[in-house]
Amino acid sequence: MNPHDTLALFDHQMRRHAQPDDAHATLHLDSGVLRQTSTRHGWNGILWSDLDHTTADAAIAAQISHYTALGHDFEWKLYAHDQPTDLAHRLLKAGATPEPTETLMVAQISDLPTTTPPPDGIHLHPVTHPADVDLMMEVHHQAFGTTATHIRHRLLTQLAEAPHTIAAVVAMAGPHPVSAARLDLHEGTHFASLWSGGTVPDWRGRGIYRALVAYRARIAAAHGYRYLQVDASDDSRPILSRLGFTALTTTTPHLFVVESL
């Protein structure tokens, strides 16, 4: 895998020509910026931009105006190679709050282990019903200490309206959910993406995360996808590197809260 070419393909397919991530969302190209507008509970934000030092400030102001009129908070998903080079500073000056930086990592699925079993005492439970989403949210709360209502909304919407675009799984220790993860299948692209991976503290370091990556890689391969993509935290990056993922760049969500603008 050539990292430069793969990043260019990612930018083209997953950003510049992205598709809406739920049935209630629309995409619009405005002032050199591709934005998604969804419901208040959906994901609202900026996927891609083509700006320079003469156009950036006006484009940022236009997006703030758009989402403020709707009363929607939004995210500007900034990548390290986005232009101009001081775009992060301009977003901060406009009122954004940066979230922790993550690493965009990609692997060719044919190079990944896909038969890694879960550790003894763990079975993998596919998420197919709203009650299964409750199990995922229980894991998320224990793993990260947040309720993540937006993730719950997205999962329920995908399962109900586009089940062919998602494969989620919960790792169970008897009746207890201890880890969970999601795979998004991006139709018309070469990429499937890994999301919402988390393990409750007492079960970390036992190989569950690796088993969930393998589980999702098998599904992506069966659907004909070439690459797996993940925005990796500092905790998951070393594991993914050992599995065969390559770091391509970094991405930092910049959040705009309408009430504070």
Side-chain angles (χ1 to χ4, degrees), residues 13-184:
Q13 292 189 346
M14 298 290 286
R15 300 185 64 204
R16 174 61 183 86
H17 296 283
Q19 297 299 311
D21 68 3
D22 72 62
H24 306 286
T26 58
L27 295 181
H28 181 69
L29 185 63
D30 174 39
S31 305
V33 170
L34 183 68
R35 69 174 176 239
Q36 174 170 298
T37 304
S38 185
T39 64
R40 183 183 297 273
H41 297 291
W43 188 84
N44 291 274
I46 308 307
L47 293 158
W48 172 88
S49 65
D50 182 19
L51 304 172
D52 60 32
H53 69 280
T54 67
T55 60
D57 290 339
I60 294 168
Q63 309 321 309
I64 292 174
S65 177
H66 169 76
Y67 289 110
T68 300
L70 296 173
H72 291 356
D73 299 340
F74 71 99
E75 173 186 328
W76 191 300
K77 194 162 176 58
L78 179 68
Y79 290 79
H81 58 289
D82 289 345
Q83 296 298 312
T85 56
D86 66 346
L87 184 53
H89 173 74
R90 293 170 186 263
L91 293 172
L92 295 178
K93 187 177 178 181
T97 300
E99 293 280 280
T101 295
E102 298 172 315
T103 302
L104 172 66
M105 304 188 77
V106 173
Q108 193 160 292
I109 295 172
S110 60
D111 295 335
L112 292 175
T114 58
T115 59
T116 306
D120 291 343
I122 298 295
H123 72 276
L124 303 185
H125 176 72
V127 173
T128 58
H129 296 94
D132 301 326
V133 175
D134 291 339
L135 296 175
M136 291 192 72
M137 293 300 96
E138 184 176 338
V139 169
H140 191 95
H141 178 67
Q142 292 186 59
F144 305 111
T146 62
T147 56
T149 54
H150 65 290
I151 296 177
R152 177 185 176 83
H153 170 80
R154 179 192 176 102
L155 288 166
L156 291 172
T157 299
Q158 279 187 277
L159 286 174
E161 300 179 358
H164 58 287
T165 67
I166 183 174
V169 60
V170 180
M172 304 290 295
H176 304 293
V178 297
S179 187
R182 179 180 105 232
L183 173 74
D184 280 353

